[in-house]
Amino acid sequence: MTHTIELDGHSLVTPESIAIEVTTSGDIDINPEVSYLASEILPRLDDAAEGFKKGGSTAEIGGAVTILLHEVRNSVDVDVWRALIPIIQAHPVAKFFLEDPITKWSFERPRGYSGDAHLLDLIYRHPKTVGQVAAASPLGREVYEFTSHAPSSFANCDRRDILARFVDETAARVGRDAEVLSFAAGHLREAEVSTAHADGTLGRWVAVDQDPLSIAEIEASYAGTTVQPVKGSVRDLFATKLDLGTFDLVYASGLYDYLADKVAVKLTQRLAQLVKPGGTFLFANYSHPIVVDGYLETFMDWTLLLRSDEDIRRIALEAVGEEDWIVGTFYGENRNIVYATLTRR
Ligand SMILES: C[S@@+](CC[C@H](N)C(=O)[O-])C[C@H]1O[C@@H](n2cnc3c(N)ncnc32)[C@H](O)[C@@H]1O
């Protein structure tokens, strides 16, 4: 099975929709291997559940399970891994992990799609989530200490800071008229760490998102500033329903991880059209390997399309070429997220 659908769907991103995008091996009988692996994995999950019951160290139990799932995921065929996911999710240890507000929110998907901006707030340990975390069980709060300090969580905070840095550098380069677009903006938390935003030195910061709850949160947080929330989706952009103007900086983060290559190329082309000469388009993607991949896909039921720097460079080059653009890539601090920069000559 190869790329058969165009993944936008106004963002009803679910593990099922992403799974379709991943190439599989076809018709071989995977059952014996799945049964064998399950017989190897389940006793170790039994040990983890026993450890939780006995009050063992959450960091040690969570760490061991994370590594186990990572190693299994990355050593078997994608179909075998996919068959193992529901078996792992059904194990009694899941109930302990699901006491953690991050794991629970991700697994239950209250907004109907994976990876929403509230999940990011939990990962950021944002003040707005303090009450929700306090309401978790003592074990849930311990697991939260573990998940909110996972390498992927660190990478999300690093990504927020990198986005703010790009915004601040744009303000420094362009001056008070600087125009910035965040596409799939979520709650635009990078504005909280942007000095240009704090100093009011941006012309406008347009924040587009398909989720009315994300837009409402941006409105509530940044009323009276240069931030302009706009409700809109990738599909709206493709249908030229969004009249946004042009920008010195355009960026999309927390979005490409759900997009098949074909859609990613098309989106890159479309967003690059909004960049002024001398301006930059930046996009981010979770990289591979990341140690939390197995935990994300099982207990959090959160599937991402992981990409290397070469993968995202290929997307960027296919979208815009090098004649009019300087294309670069870089990894964030712990290499869990990779970034592409496209600067218009
Ligand atoms: C994880 S948040 C990312 C927030 C922010 N950009 C960041 O990196 O911190 C993902 C956001 O993407 C938005 N989104 C997902 N699919 C989208 C689509 N097709 N069109 C527009 N927004 C989309 C969701 O509504 C959600 O608010």
Side-chain angles (χ1 to χ4, degrees), residues 199-254:
D199 299 345
T201 54
L202 283 171
R204 64 178 181 134
W205 191 344
V206 177
V208 176
D209 201 282
Q210 58 86 35
D211 185 339
L213 293 175
S214 294
I215 294 297
E217 178 62 27
I218 294 173
E219 271 163 1
S221 299
Y222 306 120
T225 72
T226 53
V227 171
Q228 300 172 8
V230 174
K231 188 178 169 313
S233 67
V234 174
R235 189 175 291 177
D236 294 335
L237 187 76
F238 287 171
T240 58
K241 285 186 189 158
L242 299 173
D243 187 10
L244 300 169
T246 56
F247 300 87
D248 302 288
L249 172 68
V250 175
Y251 64 89
S253 140

Side-chain angles (χ1 to χ4, degrees), residues 8 10-11 13 113 115-117 120 124 159 163 182-187 190 208-211 214 232-234 253-255 258:
D8 167 30
H10 285 279
S11 198
V13 177
Y113 62 95
D116 66 49
L120 271 188
Y124 292 153
R159 183 177 70 187
L163 299 178
S182 170
F183 199 85
H187 293 166
E190 57 273 24
V208 176
D209 201 282
Q210 58 86 35
D211 185 339
S214 294
S233 67
V234 174
S253 140
L255 180 61
Y258 308 104

Side-chain angles (χ1 to χ4, degrees), residues 3-10 21 183 233-235 237-238 255-256 258-271 281 283 305 307 315 318-319:
H3 302 172
T4 50
I5 61 162
E6 289 207 3
L7 190 60
D8 167 30
H10 285 279
E21 292 303 312
F183 199 85
S233 67
V234 174
R235 189 175 291 177
L237 187 76
F238 287 171
L255 180 61
Y256 277 65
Y258 308 104
L259 303 179
D261 281 9
K262 201 171 138 196
V263 185
V265 169
K266 192 170 163 190
L267 180 63
T268 306
Q269 280 167 342
R270 189 70 194 93
L271 287 174
F281 172 52
F283 68 89
L305 293 173
R307 291 190 169 101
I315 288 170
E318 199 175 325

Side-chain angles (χ1 to χ4, degrees), residues 266-320:
K266 192 170 163 190
L267 180 63
T268 306
Q269 280 167 342
R270 189 70 194 93
L271 287 174
Q273 286 167 359
L274 308 183
V275 176
K276 296 183 206 173
T280 295
F281 172 52
L282 167 82
F283 68 89
N285 208 116
Y286 273 96
S287 70
H288 62 78
I290 53 171
V291 75
V292 295
D293 49 9
Y295 186 93
L296 289 180
E297 290 183 355
T298 53
F299 298 117
M300 292 176 71
D301 204 22
W302 187 10
T303 304
L304 298 160
L305 293 173
L306 307 177
R307 291 190 169 101
S308 67
D309 56 348
E310 283 174 20
D311 294 334
I312 64 168
R313 173 182 290 278
R314 202 181 48 245
I315 288 170
L317 291 179
E318 199 175 325
V320 297

